Structures are given as C-alpha cells and as structure tokens.
Amino acid sequence: MAKGDDALAKKKNKDRRKKMRKEGSSVSARVASIIAAKKRRLSGRRSMCQGMCFSLPSPDDPFNDRNGKLEFQTKKSKKKPLARKNEKAFVKGKMKGTENEKAMSVGSENKKSLISNNNSGTGQEKAGVQMNGKVGRGRQRQARENVDCPSKFLMYSLNEIEKALRHEGNDEEEDESLFVSPWGVEFLKCYSTGKDILESSGTSCTTEQIAWIVSMAADIIVRREEEDLSVPTPSFLFLVPSQEEAAKVRLVCKPLKALGIHTVSIHPGSSIDHQTHGLASCEPEFLVSTPDRLLELVSLKAIDISGVSFMAVDGVESLYNGGCLNALKSIRQSISGNLRTVVFNNFLSGACVPVLQNLLLGSICRLSIDQSIPSQSACIVQTIHLCTSEEERLLKSIQVLDHACDSQLCSQPLKVLYVVGNDNNSFNLVKMLEINGYTVSVESNRNISDDDNSLDTNTKMKPVISVINLEHISSTNLAFYETVILPNFVPSIDNYVQVLTRMARHSINGNLHSFLTKEDAPIARSLTGILEQCGQAVPETLRNLHLT
C-alpha cells in the first residue's frame, strides 16, 4: 500500500528536525524555524494550520471576496499642474512663460486654447494694467465691452508683436516695452467709455499705437467667440493714405497670424484682378486698405465690409488733400451695425471738421498725451469778430447764437455757454437773450453732463443758454459745451487758452466766438499767435488791430 502525501511530509519534517538537533548546527532553533518557513513560502507549500484558516464576511466585504485580506490604498502624490504653454506672467513690464514653452502652431486651435486660458479665473478677479506691468485675469460680459482692465489675450498679442518687431530690428526704442506705454493706458481708458476716439496729437500713428489697436481688434474677435457670437470677415478695417503706410500696418499685424488672425493689405500697388482673386480665396479677419481701392473692390462686390465692427483711420490730412472725402463717406455708409472708430487726426486746421463728421458720429472721446494748445484744441473753430461799440458786441453775439441754432445738423440742441464780466453789459445781455426767446441759466457754477438736453418747451429746439462769470471759469466743467461765446473778450490770454483747451471734449463741432474792440489791442498779438499755431484763419482786421 502506497504511503500518502501526509506521511511522506511527516517523515521529511522529522528528518529535518533531527538534522537541526545535531550539535554541529550553526544556527539557533528560532533562526532555523524562520529559515524553514521561508523555504515553505518559496516552494508554494503551506502548513496544515494555514490551510484551516478562514474569515467571516464584514460590512466592507459582505461577500468575503477578499478572503479577509485588507485592501491597502497607497497615497498618490499630488502633482502640481504645469503651466500652460500660453500661460504668461508679467514681470517688470515684460511677459515671461515657462521654460519649455514652444512656438504655437498656425491655426484656430491655438486661438481656442488662448480663449480657454483667458476664461481661467474667478468672476471676482479683475485684470488690470499696473505700473509694474502685472496682469490678472477676468472676463466681463457686458453689452458695451469694458476693457479698462485688459484681457490676457490682449497682452499676449502685444507680446507676440513686440517679440517680432525686436527680431526684425524695427523697434527703434528697444529699451521701452509696449506694456508700459502711456498712450496704451490712455487708449484703454478711452475705449472703455464705449465712444469713438479722436487721437489729436497731430501726427500719424506710430508702430506702438498700431500694435495696441490691432491687439485690441484681435481681443474683440476673441471676446465674440467666447460668447458664441458670429464673427464676420473682415471685422477690423484699417484705412491708410498710401501703400507705404499699408505695408507698415501689415508688418505689425503679421505676428497675429500664428494666433489664427489673417491680415490682407489692399493698395494701388497691385492689380485689381490679382486682389479680387486673392480675396475670393481667403476670408481675412483684418483688412488694411487705401480708401479708393477699397471702394473699387466694394463696388465690384469682391469684398463685403458691412460686418466691420472696429475701424481705424490714419493720415486725415493726406486723405483730405488726396480728395478722399467722398470715398470715406461712402465707406462709412457701407458699414452697418454698431461701429467703433479711431481716427488719427494730423490735420489741426478747421478744414478737418467735414472729414471727421463723416467718420465720427455722436459723442467722442479725445485722446492725446500731448498737452500743447493745437493738440488740445483740435477740431475747435475759433472765430474773431471786430466791433466798434459795446452795443454792437451784444447784437452780433446774439446773431451768432441764432445762426448756430438754425444751422445745427444734429437733432439734439446745442450746449451754449456765455462767459461775461461783472459790468452792466452782463445784465443787458441776459435781458436781450430772454427777449429773443431763449431761456437763460445764470447759475454761477453749473456743470452739465452729456445727457443734459434741456429745452425750452415754448420754442423749437432752442437750447438753454448758460451764463457764467469770468471768475468761475476754473470751477466750471466746460467739457460738454459745444459753443462758447465771449461777448466781452477775456482780460488775459491765459483765460482764453483755458476756455479753448477745456471746451467741447466730447464733440467735433466746437466753436469759440470772441468779440473784440479797439480796447483789446494789447492782446491782439498773442491772440494772432494762437490762431496761427492752431492753423486757424487770422482776419486782417485783427492784424491791423495789432499794428495800431
């Protein structure tokens, strides 16, 4: 009869115990038992007691699937998320990314990734440009876009343009960054008002200003895509007077192609057939063009500009001298919908007013970091009237007022201000205004707003005339007065400059009327110098008054 496995194992274990009991054993009984147990584990055999062990079900393992074995959960180390490729931080006015940052690929995928990064952040966080150049995060969803706090995409676009300009060697001032530009900060403030912008520095737009404008245009497109709104092509139009200026703008827009924003330049330097074929094969977001060539392509239906939402115009003087007034008017009429316009006015004379009236509709915001008199008084027509007596002064001033009210082009009434002295003529002026059907407000410190459209209900579109004393000029808000009349010329030329540079801040229809007599001959020379400096017409009577 063959022996069973248990009997063989029992005999084998007995032999092992005898061997360990020998006097020549080099290990103790305890160590020998540990070694034996290890050998059993390695051989896959278990002792009899191990086979008899069992476990009961538990709440964690009701079906006893684990056979009583505990499930150990190892703690996973939390890895810090890596900064995204387009995650940028501003340090001392410059943008820095991660060390492993790579160039973004061409196409709309990169633009979408930037949109998602632009949305990262809580609703309570607000972005802003500070003096040290730091930028936060935030997004405002309003009907009128408030970009007083710039978005990350706007800053990223500026950074890409700045890097490209430095690489090409076109940035003359390499030490100055676009992010610390005083003009850029003022541009953001003006754009946040929701009004059209008149840049009145008296020069054509620089590379720095072009960079800010095209970056803002790119940010407008991204904001519309965030809100799932349709983006027409083109959505941004930049009008320039010549082919050279078009190439200058095109060079600044070139880095934005990596973000999915394509720019097309149209000018008389290429054939119109070639440009028509090129526009048929692409749908550019940005369009840089001269007015005449653009009008030709629009008439041929090669391009549709009705969906343009942001437009910039440069070189008003060159466009005026080139006879582009009708072309600008037609282009403006071809654009439907809500349009925001930025005009760089380098034409400081009164002849620029008809050009700007076709481009800027409604209330405007003046932008200029130049504090000179011609820059601050742009688009304000200065008219000098020579009189022989005080009675003639009063009569002519009322005639000027009647003419201004009759010839107004807008449906809203004019905002008229009379600046008078402390003599008896002021009392006579108020009486004559009331006799002619005007309502007079003689409050000494009356500040009106842009929405103050007070009317005399008994007359047709006659405004309420504000009359203030000369002593209250400094404390009166003159920004909303479009027409200012000085029936008695101010005693000092400084008062005249103060009125000139503070009036009509939100309109391009500013008019300043001054009435002089022979008694004002001492200031005729200074007044002539201001008129010449501002490009205004100087009457011969004023020159003769200076000579006498």
Side-chain angles (χ1 to χ4, degrees):
M1 181 177 177
K3 294 184 179 180
D5 295 337
D6 293 340
L8 293 176
K10 185 176 180 181
K11 183 178 179 180
K12 190 175 182 180
N13 291 336
K14 185 176 180 180
D15 295 339
R16 289 179 181 176
R17 286 194 298 272
K18 288 180 180 180
K19 185 178 180 180
M20 287 187 296
R21 290 195 200 101
K22 292 181 180 180
E23 296 179 357
S25 179
S26 58
V27 294
S28 61
R30 179 175 175 276
V31 176
S33 63
I34 295 175
I35 295 174
K38 184 177 180 181
K39 289 181 178 181
R40 286 195 299 272
R41 289 197 306 271
L42 293 177
S43 62
R45 298 177 181 177
R46 300 191 304 173
S47 60
M48 188 177 297
C49 64
Q50 290 176 344
M52 296 173 60
C53 294
F54 63 93
S55 58
L56 297 175
S58 64
D60 295 335
D61 187 16
F63 299 101
N64 201 19
D65 294 333
R66 297 196 298 262
N67 295 321
K69 297 181 181 179
L70 297 179
E71 197 174 70
F72 296 96
Q73 297 180 354
T74 58
K75 294 184 178 180
K76 297 181 180 180
S77 59
K78 296 183 179 180
K79 296 182 180 180
K80 296 182 179 180
L82 298 177
R84 299 178 182 176
K85 293 181 179 180
N86 49 10
E87 193 83 18
K88 297 291 175 179
F90 285 72
V91 180
K92 296 182 179 179
K94 295 184 178 180
M95 183 176 284
K96 296 183 178 180
T98 59
E99 296 180 357
N100 297 327
E101 182 179 5
K102 300 179 181 178
M104 300 184 64
S105 60
V106 179
S108 61
E109 295 181 358
N110 297 324
K111 184 166 63 175
K112 292 181 180 179
S113 64
L114 286 173
I115 294 174
S116 62
N117 287 340
N118 191 25
N119 293 337
S120 60
T122 61
Q124 297 178 352
E125 293 175 340
K126 295 183 178 180
V129 174
Q130 303 175 357
M131 295 305 295
N132 58 359
K134 294 182 179 179
V135 171
R137 291 180 293 206
R139 181 179 64 182
Q140 300 181 358
R141 295 181 175 273
Q142 299 178 354
R144 187 178 65 184
E145 294 172 335
N146 185 356
V147 290
D148 190 25
C149 300
S151 66
K152 184 176 295 184
F153 188 85
L154 172 65
M155 297 291 102
Y156 184 73
S157 301
L158 282 173
N159 182 64
E160 293 297 312
I161 294 174
E162 183 177 359
K163 290 193 299 184
L165 292 177
R166 295 188 188 280
H167 179 71
E168 295 292 337
N170 295 321
D171 197 353
E172 297 178 356
E173 299 178 356
E174 295 185 356
D175 295 336
E176 295 185 3
S177 174
L178 294 175
F179 304 104
V180 294
S181 167
W183 189 91
V185 176
E186 294 299 324
F187 172 70
L188 288 176
K189 293 179 180 179
C190 291
Y191 191 87
S192 64
T193 61
K195 303 177 181 178
D196 292 339
I197 301 175
L198 174 63
E199 213 290 340
S200 59
S201 298
T203 58
S204 299
C205 60
T206 62
T207 303
E208 169 192 346
Q209 295 168 345
I210 296 174
W212 273 93
I213 289 178
V214 299
S215 299
M216 177 61 68
D219 185 63
I220 293 174
I221 295 176
V222 171
R223 288 172 182 267
R224 292 181 65 87
E225 291 181 350
E226 290 176 20
E227 300 173 1
D228 296 331
L229 299 176
S230 61
V231 180
T233 54
S235 61
F236 171 62
L237 174 62
F238 204 121
L239 295 178
V240 293
S242 62
Q243 178 180 350
E244 291 75 15
E245 293 295 329
K248 178 181 177 181
V249 178
R250 176 69 180 84
L251 181 63
V252 179
C253 298
K254 188 177 180 181
L256 298 180
K257 187 176 182 180
L259 307 181
I261 298 176
H262 187 53
T263 305
V264 171
S265 177
I266 299 175
H267 50 76
S270 300
S271 64
I272 193 168
D273 295 335
H274 174 71
Q275 293 174 350
T276 303
H277 178 72
L279 291 173
S281 61
C282 67
E283 294 182 353
E285 286 80 11
F286 288 2
L287 183 64
V288 184
S289 176
T290 56
D292 292 335
R293 178 51 61 90
L294 178 60
L295 196 59
E296 291 181 25
L297 294 172
V298 171
S299 62
L300 295 174
K301 296 183 179 181
I303 189 171
D304 182 17
I305 61 173
S306 60
V308 173
S309 60
F310 188 30
M311 181 175 69
V313 182
D314 184 28
V316 174
E317 183 176 8
S318 300
L319 295 175
Y320 177 81
N321 296 333
C324 298
L325 182 59
N326 294 330
L328 291 174
K329 185 177 180 180
S330 301
I331 291 172
R332 182 61 183 87
Q333 293 176 351
S334 301
I335 301 174
S336 59
N338 189 14
L339 176 67
R340 298 291 300 276
T341 307
V342 180
V343 178
F344 289 85
N345 182 29
N346 60 344
F347 196 22
L348 299 180
S349 67
C352 68
V353 175
V355 183
L356 299 178
Q357 286 177 345
N358 295 327
L359 297 174
L360 303 175
L361 306 178
S363 181
I364 66 168
C365 181
R366 291 176 179 262
L367 170 61
S368 177
I369 57 175
D370 185 6
Q371 300 300 321
S372 62
I373 297 176
S375 176
Q376 296 296 321
S377 63
C379 302
I380 297 178
V381 180
Q382 306 174 51
T383 308
I384 307 299
H385 306 269
L386 269 296
C387 305
T388 58
S389 62
E390 297 295 334
E391 291 77 9
E392 186 180 0
R393 275 182 170 181
L394 297 180
L395 292 175
K396 281 191 174 182
S397 66
I398 295 180
Q399 292 176 0
V400 168
L401 177 60
D402 293 337
H403 178 72
C405 293
D406 294 338
S407 62
Q408 61 178 338
L409 300 178
C410 58
S411 59
Q412 298 296 336
L414 293 176
K415 299 177 177 64
V416 184
L417 174 67
Y418 270 84
V419 181
V420 297
N422 290 322
D423 50 8
N424 294 330
N425 293 328
S426 304
F427 181 75
N428 296 333
L429 174 65
V430 173
K431 277 193 171 182
M432 292 184 66
L433 290 173
E434 292 177 347
I435 292 174
N436 285 270
Y438 292 98
T439 303
V440 181
S441 174
V442 292
E443 299 176 8
S444 61
N445 191 12
R446 181 174 184 264
N447 295 329
I448 67 173
S449 63
D450 196 14
D451 298 329
D452 189 0
N453 296 325
S454 302
L455 287 175
D456 186 358
T457 56
N458 296 326
T459 57
K460 182 180 180 180
M461 299 301 293
K462 280 195 174 183
V464 175
I465 309 301
S466 299
V467 179
I468 65 169
N469 194 282
L470 182 63
E471 299 176 353
H472 301 112
I473 290 180
S474 301
S475 58
T476 303
N477 183 13
L478 308 178
F480 297 97
Y481 289 105
E482 299 175 353
T483 302
V484 178
I485 300 176
L486 305 176
N488 298 324
F489 195 77
V490 290
S492 172
I493 199 66
D494 294 335
N495 298 127
Y496 180 82
V497 172
Q498 187 177 9
V499 173
L500 177 63
T501 56
R502 291 176 55 206
M503 64 172 288
R505 296 295 93 189
H506 305 283
S507 173
I508 58 174
N509 300 314
N511 290 276
L512 177 59
H513 297 272
S514 304
F515 297 85
L516 282 73
T517 61
K518 292 183 179 180
E519 297 177 356
D520 299 316
I523 61 175
R525 180 180 180 181
S526 301
L527 182 59
T528 302
I530 292 177
L531 293 174
E532 292 177 347
Q533 187 179 1
C534 297
Q536 303 285 329
V538 181
E540 290 297 329
T541 53
L542 182 61
R543 297 184 187 274
N544 297 334
L545 182 63
H546 164 57
L547 295 177
T548 57

